[in-house]
Coordinates of all heavy atoms in Angstrom, one line a residue:
Y1 N 97.0 112.5 139.3 CA 96.4 111.5 138.5 C 95.9 112.1 137.2 O 95.2 113.1 137.3 CB 95.2 110.9 139.3 CG 94.4 109.9 138.5 CD1 94.9 108.7 138.1 CD2 93.1 110.3 138.1 CE1 94.1 107.8 137.3 CE2 92.3 109.4 137.4 CZ 92.8 108.2 137.0 OH 92.1 107.3 136.3
R2 N 96.3 111.6 136.1 CA 95.9 112.1 134.8 C 95.2 110.9 134.0 O 95.9 110.1 133.4 CB 97.0 112.6 134.0 CG 97.7 113.8 134.8 CD 98.9 114.3 134.0 NE 99.8 113.2 133.6 CZ 101.0 113.3 133.4 NH1 101.6 114.5 133.5 NH2 101.8 112.3 133.0
P3 N 93.9 110.8 134.1 CA 93.2 109.6 133.5 C 93.4 109.5 132.0 O 93.5 108.4 131.5 CB 91.7 109.8 133.9 CG 91.6 111.3 134.2 CD 92.9 111.7 134.7
F4 N 93.5 110.7 131.3 CA 93.7 110.6 129.9 C 95.0 110.0 129.5 O 95.1 109.4 128.5 CB 93.4 112.0 129.3 CG 92.0 112.4 129.5 CD1 91.7 113.5 130.3 CD2 90.9 111.8 128.9 CE1 90.4 113.9 130.5 CE2 89.6 112.2 129.1 CZ 89.4 113.3 130.0
T5 N 96.0 110.3 130.3 CA 97.3 109.7 130.0 C 97.3 108.2 130.1 O 97.8 107.5 129.3 CB 98.4 110.3 130.9 OG1 98.4 111.7 130.8 CG2 99.8 109.7 130.6
L6 N 96.7 107.7 131.2 CA 96.5 106.2 131.4 C 95.8 105.6 130.2 O 96.2 104.6 129.7 CB 95.9 105.9 132.7 CG 95.7 104.5 133.1 CD1 97.0 103.8 133.1 CD2 94.9 104.4 134.4
E7 N 94.7 106.2 129.9 CA 93.8 105.7 128.8 C 94.6 105.7 127.4 O 94.5 104.8 126.7 CB 92.5 106.5 128.7 CG 91.6 106.2 129.8 CD 90.4 107.1 129.8 OE1 90.2 107.9 128.8 OE2 89.5 106.9 130.6
A8 N 95.3 106.7 127.2 CA 96.1 106.8 126.0 C 97.1 105.7 125.9 O 97.3 105.1 124.8 CB 96.8 108.2 125.8
N9 N 97.8 105.4 127.0 CA 98.8 104.4 127.0 C 98.1 103.0 126.7 O 98.7 102.2 126.0 CB 99.5 104.3 128.4 CG 100.4 105.5 128.6 OD1 100.9 106.1 127.6 ND2 100.7 105.7 129.8
M10 N 96.9 102.8 127.2 CA 96.3 101.5 127.0 C 95.8 101.4 125.5 O 96.0 100.3 124.9 CB 95.1 101.3 127.9 CG 95.5 101.0 129.3 SD 94.1 100.6 130.4 CE 93.2 102.1 130.5
Y11 N 95.4 102.5 124.9 CA 95.0 102.5 123.5 C 96.2 102.3 122.6 O 96.1 101.6 121.6 CB 94.2 103.8 123.1 CG 92.9 103.9 123.8 CD1 92.5 105.0 124.4 CD2 92.0 102.8 123.7 CE1 91.2 105.1 125.0 CE2 90.7 102.9 124.3 CZ 90.3 104.1 124.9 OH 89.1 104.1 125.5
A12 N 97.3 102.8 123.0 CA 98.5 102.6 122.2 C 98.9 101.2 122.2 O 99.3 100.6 121.1 CB 99.6 103.5 122.7
A13 N 98.9 100.5 123.4 CA 99.2 99.1 123.4 C 98.3 98.3 122.6 O 98.7 97.3 121.9 CB 99.2 98.7 124.9
D14 N 97.0 98.6 122.7 CA 96.0 97.9 121.9 C 96.2 98.0 120.4 O 96.1 97.1 119.7 CB 94.6 98.4 122.2 CG 94.0 97.8 123.6 OD1 94.7 96.9 124.1 OD2 93.0 98.4 124.1
A15 N 96.6 99.2 120.0 CA 96.8 99.5 118.6 C 98.0 98.7 118.1 O 98.0 98.1 117.0 CB 97.1 101.0 118.4
L16 N 99.1 98.6 118.9 CA 100.3 97.8 118.5 C 99.9 96.4 118.4 O 100.4 95.7 117.5 CB 101.4 98.0 119.5 CG 102.1 99.4 119.5 CD1 103.1 99.6 120.6 CD2 102.8 99.6 118.1
Q17 N 99.1 95.9 119.3 CA 98.7 94.4 119.3 C 97.9 94.2 118.0 O 98.1 93.1 117.4 CB 98.0 94.1 120.5 CG 98.9 94.0 121.8 CD 98.1 93.6 123.0 OE1 97.0 93.1 123.0 NE2 98.7 93.9 124.2
E18 N 97.0 95.1 117.7 CA 96.2 94.9 116.5 C 97.0 94.9 115.2 O 96.7 94.3 114.2 CB 95.1 96.0 116.4 CG 94.0 95.7 117.4 CD 93.1 94.6 117.0 OE1 92.7 94.5 115.8 OE2 92.7 93.8 117.9
M19 N 98.1 95.7 115.2 CA 99.0 95.7 114.1 C 99.8 94.4 113.9 O 100.1 94.0 112.8 CB 100.0 96.8 114.3 CG 99.5 98.2 114.1 SD 100.7 99.5 114.5 CE 101.7 99.4 113.1
L20 N 100.0 93.7 115.0 CA 100.7 92.4 115.0 C 99.8 91.2 114.8 O 100.2 90.2 114.2 CB 101.5 92.3 116.4 CG 102.6 93.2 116.6 CD1 103.1 93.2 118.0 CD2 103.8 92.9 115.6
L21 N 98.6 91.2 115.4 CA 97.8 90.0 115.4 C 96.3 90.4 115.4 O 95.9 91.2 116.2 CB 98.1 89.1 116.7 CG 97.4 87.8 116.8 CD1 98.3 86.8 117.6 CD2 96.1 87.9 117.5
Q22 N 95.6 89.8 114.5 CA 94.2 89.9 114.4 C 93.5 88.6 114.2 O 94.2 87.7 113.6 CB 93.8 90.9 113.3 CG 94.2 92.3 113.4 CD 93.9 93.2 112.3 OE1 93.0 92.8 111.4 NE2 94.5 94.4 112.2
T23 N 92.3 88.4 114.6 CA 91.6 87.2 114.4 C 90.2 87.4 113.8 O 89.6 88.5 114.0 CB 91.4 86.4 115.8 OG1 90.7 87.2 116.7 CG2 92.8 86.1 116.4
K24 N 89.8 86.4 113.1 CA 88.4 86.4 112.6 C 88.0 84.9 112.6 O 88.6 84.1 111.8 CB 88.3 87.0 111.2 CG 86.9 87.1 110.7 CD 86.8 87.9 109.4 CE 85.4 88.0 109.0 NZ 85.2 88.7 107.8
G25 N 87.0 84.6 113.4 CA 86.6 83.2 113.5 C 87.8 82.4 114.0 O 88.4 82.8 115.0
E26 N 88.2 81.3 113.4 CA 89.3 80.5 113.8 C 90.6 81.0 113.2 O 91.7 80.6 113.7 CB 89.1 79.0 113.4 CG 87.9 78.4 114.0 CD 88.1 78.2 115.5 OE1 89.2 77.8 115.9 OE2 87.2 78.5 116.3
K27 N 90.6 81.9 112.3 CA 91.8 82.4 111.6 C 92.6 83.3 112.5 O 92.0 84.2 113.2 CB 91.5 83.0 110.3 CG 91.0 82.1 109.2 CD 91.9 81.0 108.8 CE 92.9 81.5 107.8 NZ 93.8 80.4 107.4
I28 N 93.9 83.2 112.5 CA 94.8 84.1 113.2 C 95.7 84.8 112.1 O 96.4 84.1 111.4 CB 95.7 83.4 114.2 CG1 94.8 82.7 115.2 CG2 96.7 84.3 114.8 CD1 95.6 81.7 116.1
Y29 N 95.6 86.1 112.0 CA 96.4 86.8 111.0 C 97.5 87.5 111.7 O 97.3 88.3 112.6 CB 95.5 87.9 110.3 CG 94.3 87.3 109.6 CD1 93.1 87.3 110.2 CD2 94.5 86.7 108.3 CE1 92.0 86.7 109.5 CE2 93.4 86.1 107.7 CZ 92.2 86.1 108.3 OH 91.1 85.5 107.7
L30 N 98.7 87.2 111.2 CA 99.9 87.8 111.8 C 100.5 88.9 110.9 O 100.6 88.7 109.7 CB 101.0 86.7 112.1 CG 100.7 85.7 113.1 CD1 101.9 84.8 113.3 CD2 100.3 86.3 114.4
F31 N 100.9 90.0 111.6 CA 101.5 91.1 110.9 C 100.6 91.8 109.9 O 101.0 92.2 108.8 CB 102.8 90.8 110.2 CG 103.8 90.1 111.2 CD1 104.1 88.8 111.1 CD2 104.4 90.8 112.2 CE1 104.9 88.1 111.9 CE2 105.3 90.2 113.0 CZ 105.6 88.9 112.9
P32 N 99.2 91.9 110.1 CA 98.3 92.5 109.1 C 98.6 93.9 108.8 O 98.3 94.4 107.8 CB 97.0 92.3 109.7 CG 97.2 92.2 111.2 CD 98.5 91.6 111.4
A33 N 99.2 94.7 109.8 CA 99.4 96.1 109.6 C 100.8 96.5 110.1 O 101.0 97.7 110.4 CB 98.3 96.9 110.3
W34 N 101.7 95.6 110.1 CA 103.1 95.8 110.6 C 104.0 96.1 109.5 O 104.1 95.2 108.6 CB 103.5 94.7 111.5 CG 104.7 95.0 112.3 CD1 106.0 94.8 112.0 CD2 104.8 95.7 113.5 NE1 106.9 95.3 113.0 CE2 106.1 95.8 113.9 CE3 103.8 96.2 114.4 CZ2 106.5 96.5 115.1 CZ3 104.1 96.9 115.5 CH2 105.5 97.0 115.9
P35 N 104.7 97.2 109.4 CA 105.7 97.4 108.3 C 106.8 96.4 108.4 O 107.4 96.1 109.5 CB 106.2 98.8 108.6 CG 105.2 99.5 109.5 CD 104.6 98.3 110.3
K36 N 107.1 95.7 107.3 CA 108.1 94.7 107.3 C 109.5 95.2 107.6 O 110.4 94.5 108.0 CB 108.1 93.9 106.0 CG 108.6 94.6 104.8 CD 108.6 93.8 103.6 CE 109.0 94.5 102.4 NZ 109.0 93.7 101.2
E37 N 109.7 96.5 107.5 CA 111.0 97.1 107.8 C 111.2 97.2 109.3 O 112.4 97.5 109.8 CB 111.1 98.5 107.2 CG 111.0 98.5 105.7 CD 109.6 98.4 105.2 OE1 108.6 98.7 105.9 OE2 109.4 98.1 104.0
W38 N 110.2 97.0 110.1 CA 110.3 97.2 111.6 C 110.5 95.8 112.2 O 109.7 94.9 112.1 CB 109.1 97.7 112.2 CG 108.7 99.2 111.8 CD1 109.4 100.0 111.0 CD2 107.6 99.9 112.3 NE1 108.8 101.2 110.9 CE2 107.7 101.2 111.7 CE3 106.6 99.7 113.1 CZ2 106.8 102.2 111.9 CZ3 105.7 100.7 113.4 CH2 105.8 101.9 112.8
N39 N 111.7 95.6 112.9 CA 111.9 94.3 113.6 C 111.1 94.3 114.8 O 110.9 95.3 115.5 CB 113.4 94.2 113.9 CG 114.3 94.2 112.7 OD1 113.9 93.8 111.7 ND2 115.5 94.5 112.9
V40 N 110.6 93.1 115.2 CA 109.8 93.0 116.4 C 109.8 91.5 116.9 O 110.0 90.6 116.1 CB 108.3 93.4 116.1 CG1 107.6 92.4 115.1 CG2 107.5 93.5 117.4
H41 N 109.7 91.3 118.1 CA 109.5 90.0 118.8 C 108.4 90.2 119.7 O 108.3 91.1 120.5 CB 110.8 89.6 119.5 CG 110.6 88.3 120.2 ND1 110.5 88.2 121.6 CD2 110.6 87.0 119.8 CE1 110.4 87.0 121.9 NE2 110.4 86.2 120.9
F42 N 107.4 89.2 119.7 CA 106.2 89.3 120.6 C 105.7 88.0 121.0 O 106.0 87.0 120.3 CB 105.1 90.2 119.9 CG 104.5 89.5 118.8 CD1 103.4 88.6 118.9 CD2 104.9 89.8 117.5 CE1 102.8 88.0 117.8 CE2 104.3 89.2 116.4 CZ 103.3 88.3 116.5
K43 N 105.0 88.0 122.0 CA 104.2 86.8 122.5 C 102.9 87.3 122.9 O 102.8 88.0 123.9 CB 105.0 86.1 123.6 CG 104.4 84.8 124.1 CD 105.3 84.1 125.1 CE 104.8 82.7 125.4 NZ 105.7 82.1 126.4
L44 N 101.8 86.8 122.2 CA 100.5 87.3 122.5 C 99.5 86.1 122.6 O 99.7 85.1 122.0 CB 100.0 88.2 121.4 CG 100.7 89.6 121.2 CD1 100.3 90.3 119.9 CD2 100.5 90.4 122.4
H45 N 98.4 86.4 123.3 CA 97.4 85.4 123.4 C 96.3 85.6 122.3 O 96.0 86.7 121.9 CB 96.7 85.4 124.8 CG 97.6 85.1 125.9 ND1 97.9 83.7 126.2 CD2 98.3 85.8 126.7 CE1 98.7 83.7 127.2 NE2 99.0 85.0 127.5
A46 N 95.8 84.5 121.8 CA 94.7 84.6 120.8 C 93.6 83.7 121.3 O 93.7 82.9 122.2 CB 95.2 84.0 119.4
P47 N 92.4 83.8 120.7 CA 91.2 83.0 121.1 C 91.5 81.5 121.0 O 92.4 81.1 120.3 CB 90.1 83.4 120.2 CG 90.5 84.8 119.7 CD 92.0 84.8 119.7
G48 N 90.8 80.7 121.7 CA 91.0 79.3 121.7 C 92.2 78.8 122.5 O 92.8 77.8 122.2
K49 N 92.4 79.5 123.6 CA 93.6 79.2 124.5 C 94.9 79.0 123.7 O 95.6 78.1 123.9 CB 93.2 77.9 125.3 CG 92.1 78.0 126.2 CD 91.8 76.8 127.0 CE 90.6 76.9 127.8 NZ 90.3 75.7 128.6
T50 N 95.1 80.0 122.8 CA 96.2 79.9 121.9 C 97.2 81.0 122.2 O 96.8 82.1 122.6 CB 95.8 80.1 120.4 OG1 94.8 79.1 120.1 CG2 96.9 80.0 119.5
T51 N 98.5 80.7 122.2 CA 99.6 81.6 122.4 C 100.4 81.6 121.1 O 100.7 80.6 120.5 CB 100.5 81.2 123.6 OG1 99.6 81.1 124.7 CG2 101.6 82.3 123.8
V52 N 100.7 82.8 120.6 CA 101.5 83.0 119.4 C 102.8 83.8 119.8 O 102.7 84.9 120.4 CB 100.8 83.7 118.3 CG1 101.6 83.9 117.1 CG2 99.5 83.0 118.0
E53 N 103.9 83.2 119.5 CA 105.2 83.9 119.7 C 105.9 84.0 118.3 O 106.0 83.0 117.6 CB 106.1 83.2 120.7 CG 107.4 83.9 120.9 CD 108.3 83.3 121.9 OE1 107.9 82.2 122.4 OE2 109.4 83.8 122.2
A54 N 106.3 85.2 117.9 CA 106.9 85.4 116.6 C 107.9 86.5 116.7 O 107.9 87.4 117.5 CB 105.8 85.8 115.6
E55 N 108.9 86.4 115.7 CA 109.9 87.4 115.6 C 110.1 87.7 114.1 O 110.2 86.8 113.3 CB 111.2 86.9 116.2 CG 112.3 88.0 116.1 CD 113.6 87.6 116.8 OE1 113.7 86.5 117.4 OE2 114.5 88.4 116.8
L56 N 110.0 88.9 113.8 CA 110.2 89.4 112.4 C 111.5 90.2 112.4 O 111.7 91.2 113.2 CB 109.1 90.3 112.0 CG 109.1 90.9 110.6 CD1 108.9 89.8 109.6 CD2 108.0 91.9 110.4
K57 N 112.5 89.8 111.6 CA 113.8 90.5 111.5 C 114.2 90.7 110.1 O 114.2 89.8 109.3 CB 114.8 89.7 112.3 CG 116.1 90.4 112.4 CD 117.1 89.7 113.3 CE 118.3 90.5 113.5 NZ 119.2 89.8 114.5
D58 N 114.4 91.9 109.7 CA 114.8 92.3 108.3 C 113.8 91.8 107.3 O 114.2 91.3 106.3 CB 116.2 91.7 108.0 CG 117.3 92.3 108.9 OD1 117.2 93.5 109.3 OD2 118.2 91.6 109.3
G59 N 112.5 91.9 107.7 CA 111.4 91.5 106.8 C 111.2 90.0 106.7 O 110.4 89.6 105.9
K60 N 111.8 89.2 107.5 CA 111.6 87.8 107.4 C 111.2 87.2 108.8 O 111.7 87.7 109.8 CB 112.9 87.1 107.0 CG 113.3 87.4 105.6 CD 114.5 86.7 105.2 CE 114.8 86.9 103.7 NZ 115.8 87.8 103.4
I61 N 110.4 86.2 108.8 CA 110.0 85.5 110.1 C 111.2 84.7 110.5 O 111.6 83.8 109.7 CB 108.8 84.6 109.9 CG1 107.6 85.5 109.4 CG2 108.5 83.9 111.2 CD1 106.8 86.1 110.4
V62 N 111.8 84.9 111.6 CA 112.9 84.1 112.1 C 112.4 83.2 113.2 O 113.2 82.3 113.6 CB 114.1 85.0 112.6 CG1 114.7 85.7 111.4 CG2 113.7 85.9 113.6
R63 N 111.2 83.4 113.8 CA 110.7 82.5 114.8 C 109.2 82.6 114.8 O 108.6 83.7 114.7 CB 111.2 83.0 116.2 CG 110.7 82.2 117.4 CD 111.4 82.6 118.7 NE 110.8 82.0 119.8 CZ 111.1 80.7 120.2 NH1 112.0 80.0 119.5 NH2 110.6 80.2 121.3
L64 N 108.6 81.4 114.9 CA 107.1 81.3 115.0 C 106.8 80.1 115.8 O 107.1 79.0 115.4 CB 106.5 81.3 113.6 CG 104.9 81.1 113.6 CD1 104.3 82.3 114.3 CD2 104.4 81.0 112.2
V65 N 106.2 80.3 116.9 CA 105.7 79.2 117.8 C 104.2 79.5 118.1 O 103.9 80.5 118.6 CB 106.5 79.2 119.1 CG1 106.0 78.1 120.0 CG2 108.0 79.1 118.8
V66 N 103.4 78.5 117.8 CA 102.0 78.5 118.1 C 101.6 77.4 119.0 O 101.9 76.2 118.7 CB 101.2 78.4 116.7 CG1 99.7 78.5 117.0 CG2 101.6 79.5 115.8
L67 N 101.1 77.7 120.1 CA 100.6 76.7 121.1 C 99.2 76.8 121.4 O 98.7 77.9 121.6 CB 101.5 76.8 122.3 CG 103.0 76.5 122.2 CD1 103.7 76.8 123.5 CD2 103.2 75.1 121.7
P68 N 98.4 75.8 121.3 CA 98.8 74.4 121.0 C 99.1 74.3 119.5 O 98.6 75.1 118.7 CB 97.6 73.6 121.3 CG 96.4 74.5 121.3 CD 97.0 75.9 121.6
S69 N 100.0 73.4 119.2 CA 100.6 73.3 117.8 C 99.5 73.0 116.7 O 99.7 73.3 115.6 CB 101.6 72.2 117.8 OG 101.1 71.0 118.2
N70 N 98.4 72.4 117.1 CA 97.3 72.1 116.1 C 96.7 73.4 115.6 O 96.0 73.4 114.6 CB 96.3 71.2 116.7 CG 95.5 71.7 117.8 OD1 95.9 72.6 118.5 ND2 94.2 71.3 117.9
R71 N 96.9 74.5 116.3 CA 96.4 75.8 115.8 C 97.3 76.5 114.7 O 96.9 77.5 114.1 CB 96.2 76.8 117.0 CG 95.1 76.4 118.0 CD 93.8 76.8 117.5 NE 93.6 78.2 117.7 CZ 92.9 79.1 117.0 NH1 92.3 78.6 115.9 NH2 92.8 80.3 117.3
R72 N 98.4 75.9 114.5 CA 99.3 76.5 113.5 C 98.7 76.5 112.1 O 98.9 77.5 111.3 CB 100.6 75.6 113.4 CG 101.6 76.0 112.3 CD 102.1 77.5 112.5 NE 103.0 77.9 111.5 CZ 102.7 78.5 110.4 NH1 101.5 78.8 110.1 NH2 103.7 78.9 109.6
K73 N 97.8 75.6 111.8 CA 97.1 75.6 110.5 C 96.2 76.8 110.3 O 95.8 77.1 109.2 CB 96.3 74.3 110.4 CG 95.2 74.1 111.4 CD 94.4 72.8 111.2 CE 93.4 72.6 112.2 NZ 92.8 73.6 113.0
D74 N 95.8 77.4 111.4 CA 94.9 78.6 111.4 C 95.6 79.9 111.2 O 95.0 80.9 111.1 CB 94.0 78.6 112.6 CG 93.2 77.4 112.8 OD1 92.6 76.9 111.8 OD2 93.0 76.9 113.9
V75 N 96.9 79.9 111.2 CA 97.8 81.1 111.1 C 98.0 81.5 109.7 O 98.4 80.6 108.9 CB 99.1 80.9 111.9 CG1 100.0 82.1 111.7 CG2 98.8 80.7 113.4
E76 N 97.8 82.7 109.4 CA 98.1 83.2 108.0 C 99.0 84.4 108.2 O 98.7 85.4 108.9 CB 96.8 83.7 107.3 CG 97.0 84.1 105.9 CD 95.8 84.4 105.2 OE1 94.7 83.8 105.4 OE2 95.8 85.3 104.3
L77 N 100.2 84.3 107.6 CA 101.2 85.4 107.6 C 100.8 86.5 106.6 O 100.5 86.1 105.4 CB 102.6 84.9 107.3 CG 103.0 83.8 108.3 CD1 104.4 83.2 107.9 CD2 103.1 84.4 109.7
M78 N 100.8 87.7 107.0 CA 100.4 88.8 106.1 C 101.5 89.9 106.0 O 101.3 91.0 106.3 CB 99.1 89.4 106.6 CG 98.0 88.4 106.7 SD 96.5 89.2 107.2 CE 96.1 90.1 105.7
I79 N 102.7 89.4 105.7 CA 103.9 90.4 105.6 C 103.8 91.0 104.2 O 103.8 90.3 103.2 CB 105.2 89.6 105.8 CG1 105.2 89.0 107.2 CG2 106.3 90.6 105.7 CD1 106.3 88.1 107.5
N80 N 103.8 92.3 104.1 CA 103.8 93.0 102.9 C 105.2 93.3 102.4 O 106.0 93.7 103.0 CB 102.9 94.3 103.0 CG 101.5 93.9 103.3 OD1 101.0 92.9 102.9 ND2 100.9 94.8 104.0

């Protein structure tokens, strides 16, 4: 058992999630720290019983699903 290895893996996952999705109040910020050159597909939970699924490919959003759909207005894309 190596506790530091387990903790490091959890911190790495948290860091990746923060790069993809951040929230402040009701706002949901997508890709706040994600390089647009990196392709990614994810499905994450956000506050307010919200699920966000998105795919970034070649610097463009090719898929964005926000459930419930009324939370879509709170999403801000931050692709640099």
Side-chain angles (χ1 to χ4, degrees):
Y1 172 71
R2 299 180 310 205
F4 296 112
T5 302
L6 179 62
E7 289 175 0
N9 289 339
M10 287 188 291
Y11 289 131
D14 285 346
L16 289 173
Q17 289 180 19
E18 285 288 316
M19 290 173 71
L20 292 167
L21 184 148
Q22 295 179 13
T23 61
K24 184 173 182 180
E26 295 294 314
K27 292 298 275 181
I28 300 170
Y29 300 99
L30 294 185
F31 308 107
W34 193 263
K36 68 179 178 182
E37 296 82 16
W38 295 2
N39 295 337
V40 66
H41 177 256
F42 68 88
K43 186 174 186 178
L44 295 172
H45 294 280
K49 298 181 181 178
T50 304
T51 303
V52 178
E53 182 176 3
E55 183 175 359
L56 181 70
K57 188 171 184 178
D58 299 324
K60 296 184 172 102
I61 302 271
V62 294
R63 179 174 174 80
L64 178 59
V65 178
V66 181
L67 297 173
S69 58
N70 66 330
R71 291 280 281 147
R72 175 62 180 93
K73 65 181 174 21
D74 300 320
V75 173
E76 184 173 328
L77 300 175
M78 302 184 72
I79 301 170
N80 296 326

